[in-house]
Amino acid sequence: MIGFESVEDVAQKLESVDYIPSREIATVVYLAAATQKPILVEGPAGAGKTELARALARCLNLKKIRLQCYEGLDEAKALYEWEYAKQLLYTQMIKEKINDLIAESSSITEAVEKIAEQEDAFFSERFLLARPLLQAITSEEPVVLLIDEIDKSDPEFEAFLLELLSDFQVSIPEIGIWKAIHIPIVVLTSNNYRDISDALKRRCIHLYIDYPEKDLEKRIVQLKIPEIEIRLADQIVETINKIRDLDLKKRPCISETIDWAKALMVLQVNDLSPQVLSDTINVICKYQIDTTMVRESMDKVLK
Amino acid sequence: MINLILNFVTACRTSGLRVSTAEVIDSARQFELINLLDEDQFRTTLRANFAKSRREQRDFDRLYNLFFHDMLPDTDIDIKNPQKDEIRNALDQIKTEINEDPLAEAIFDFLAGDPIPYLKEIQRLETLGEETTKALKSNLSQLSSRLEIMLRINQTRNRLIQLQNDNSTDSQPGQNRGMAAHLLKRLEVANRMLTQETRPYNDGLKQVNAYGKQYSGLGERPFSNLTEIEIEQMRSVIDQLVRKMKDVMSRRYATRNKGALDVKKTLRTAQRYHGVPIEIIYRRKPLRKTKVVTLCDVSGSVWSAARFMLNMIYSMQDCFSDVKSFAFVCGPTNITDIFEKHEVNKAIEKVLTDTNINFDALTDYGEVFYQFHRDYLNLLSKKTTLIIVGDARSNYHNPQEKLLDEMRAKCRRVIWLNPEPEQFWGSGDSEMNTYKAFCHEVRPCRNLNQLIYFIEDLVF
């Protein structure tokens, strides 16, 4: 079994790679790793869903394989594809050899028979183009498989994932069933764009990651930018939390908090003022309307 | 232990959480891995297995508290406090002072440790609305009985506080005080159960208030304040918008045949011509397969906005492969055909005059959902976006939000456009806050800019 000894161990290991988990995150990760179940992570954009998978890979020293979902994603792009061009090219090149092979056959049936014996040569791993899911299953080393934004994919694709996530095997008609050598740690993320099917949910352990509590966020800022003054970190986190309460098109997430803190460090700011916020607002808000709104409610945000 | 969990599972299932046997087995297996004495871990484990979306988490938390805290027989009762029958005696004493009736009886039973009659009373209240749908169509009776119980609880509380401060009884004063404190605590629990919202919590809800300000003058005027001339101007702006939408769609058709070379298919067709790639095939960009079902309120309260909404719905019909439209006041009417056969202005005219929509009736969203659920549920699939346009003012009829929840489960997204400004949502007979919990997205949509912003989000 890959992974962790206890809930505390999870927290410790994740912290060692600069990811500070809440107790809930640590518990769920531990349970998922121990029972080899996929984790379905939900939460607002930028709360650290994808980062969790990255941190898991880093702290366990595993390779991370990522599959980004989108509308129209199909098996050929997610699992495997036959390389037709290569197969055709090979057939052309070994034409002579094939002719030799069937030269002595007395009937067509016999010739077909002889070619059929060689069929494996054409439908073998050599001509198989492995996509992320197959890579994760066939990898010699255990891996972390991140299936990002599963809610963006079509319901058909979700159904197709079921076999993979419950048995960790894939069936390729020409070759047979491939079982995973190591069961990967699977993390699925969802932005709640639409509801995920019950069947898929049943196979996963659910985790909701919200924006971190103020204290946790402060710790994260201090961890990422060790040279920051505690007072400034306080102010930054306070302000960001107030901005989050505004009715924005896109709320600032943790990475924006950190970007902003970094920007303030570069500008050598020691104290937040409306002027400073106004100058650096573009780091926090990514839409013109949001920028205007924060500017308008400046006195509410900076108290 | 396992029995306790199974009881909890039954409770979860009864209240609508879908918990499968596989999930129960999973959690039981996981209990071996964690420290069971740590409640955080225990709860997290149960929650990760039983509640698999943010919406369900809130339900789960409520049930968890109810099951493992509020309803669990207090363990400290025998240690600090007098025996059960002594409590019973004390309660009987109080009861004689208060008028006898089943309600008071239920509350006292609850205090004495037998919660069943009280729970039945609450259950009766919760289901009251559904039973009386046909006759009354109102949730007022439910509210008034709720009030009655609250008054009764207050009365009991006052009496208990009196008892707490009353030292004159012959038994030891300390004992009395402890008992009263304990009973007050139970009473609080009873009160909390009564007043608690059972409405699901909808955190994933996308609520859009911001919008681009493309047309400064006209764009900001609410639909209801438009003058005759402005309506004409508005028409032309909407026409422009519709043209823009069609452009985008035709562009999508045009690019369908361009794109990356599809080697697989090209080679396959080349086989027909002895391996010479005569026909070259490109990877096709699939057309948007989204289906749209719209439900549009055309009653008096949204009269001014209805026209524009219908206009918008009409234009949507050209942009998606499958659009079904319904207009309603107190029951949905299918207007898809009218929209398909007639030119836009005529179609809207026809909808507002020729159909058998009863414009004199009172708007009743619950009834609309009920009929839609009964007759047209098969139109909804995982590819459907359901757009509801209306102010959710249901004249105090039963909102039937459970039906909307079922509809939500069937389709991909539920979007609610409300032609009222947000401050009025939930005021008076508006059920917006009830319905909000079951939508994926809600937006106020009362002027042109907001309408344009929504369409751009949806189509482009």
Side-chain angles (χ1 to χ4, degrees), chain A residues 71-94:
Chain A
E71 241 183 283
L73 176 71
D74 56 4
E75 279 179 58
K77 295 211 186 71
L79 190 60
Y80 71 93
E81 205 173 7
W82 288 108
E83 278 194 277
Y84 283 90
K86 199 170 166 190
Q87 281 173 332
L88 214 67
L89 216 59
Y90 272 55
T91 334
Q92 291 289 332
M93 286 195 289
I94 55 167

Side-chain angles (χ1 to χ4, degrees), chain A residues 37 193 198 204 208 249, chain B residues 18 26 52 203 413 453:
Chain A
K37 294 206 114 200
Y193 181 75
D198 284 343
C204 306
Y208 183 86
K249 189 166 175 179
Chain B
R18 259 169 269 173
D26 281 345
K52 299 226 161 155
D203 195 51
R413 274 172 87 67
Y453 195 65

Side-chain angles (χ1 to χ4, degrees), chain B residues 20-159:
Chain B
S20 70
T21 318
E23 281 155 336
V24 181
I25 297 172
D26 281 345
S27 55
R29 203 168 283 154
Q30 284 161 7
F31 284 141
E32 289 167 14
L33 297 164
I34 56 163
N35 177 8
L36 276 178
L37 294 177
D38 183 340
E39 202 200 323
D40 271 348
Q41 290 190 15
F42 176 72
R43 194 183 45 227
T44 306
T45 310
L46 276 182
R47 191 154 91 156
N49 282 297
F50 288 4
K52 299 226 161 155
S53 71
R54 181 64 171 160
R55 280 163 57 79
E56 287 167 353
Q57 273 188 354
R58 171 77 166 249
D59 274 344
F60 174 86
D61 287 348
R62 191 173 58 87
L63 270 175
Y64 181 88
N65 268 333
L66 199 64
F67 191 88
F68 287 104
H69 292 282
D70 290 351
M71 290 315 293
L72 209 63
D74 284 66
T75 36
D76 55 317
I77 185 168
D78 298 320
I79 309 161
K80 279 203 306 239
N81 289 310
Q83 298 304 315
K84 270 200 171 151
D85 26 320
E86 271 182 60
I87 291 185
R88 192 87 235 186
N89 284 342
L91 283 174
D92 282 340
Q93 202 186 334
I94 308 171
K95 207 154 60 175
T96 48
E97 295 162 28
I98 299 173
N99 291 337
E100 285 270 350
D101 72 78
L103 205 59
E105 197 87 40
I107 293 176
F108 282 110
D109 279 347
F110 184 85
L111 291 179
D114 173 21
I116 304 297
Y118 183 69
L119 289 180
K120 275 200 177 130
E121 185 60 28
I122 289 188
Q123 193 198 15
R124 194 181 66 79
L125 282 181
E126 294 280 341
T127 48
L128 197 64
E130 285 163 37
E131 283 162 14
T132 53
T133 320
K134 293 229 169 69
L136 256 173
K137 282 192 179 166
S138 136
N139 56 358
L140 277 179
S141 64
Q142 189 190 356
L143 287 178
S144 64
S145 347
R146 220 170 255 258
L147 196 66
E148 202 177 328
I149 302 187
M150 274 190 207
L151 286 174
R152 207 58 54 87
I153 286 181
N154 270 343
Q155 209 176 356
T156 321
R157 183 186 296 130
N158 288 340
R159 184 66 194 84

Side-chain angles (χ1 to χ4, degrees), chain B residues 263-275:
Chain B
V263 181
K264 193 157 85 175
K265 281 191 184 146
T266 308
L267 288 177
R268 215 180 274 159
T269 33
Q271 299 293 320
R272 272 190 240 150
Y273 312 106
H274 289 280

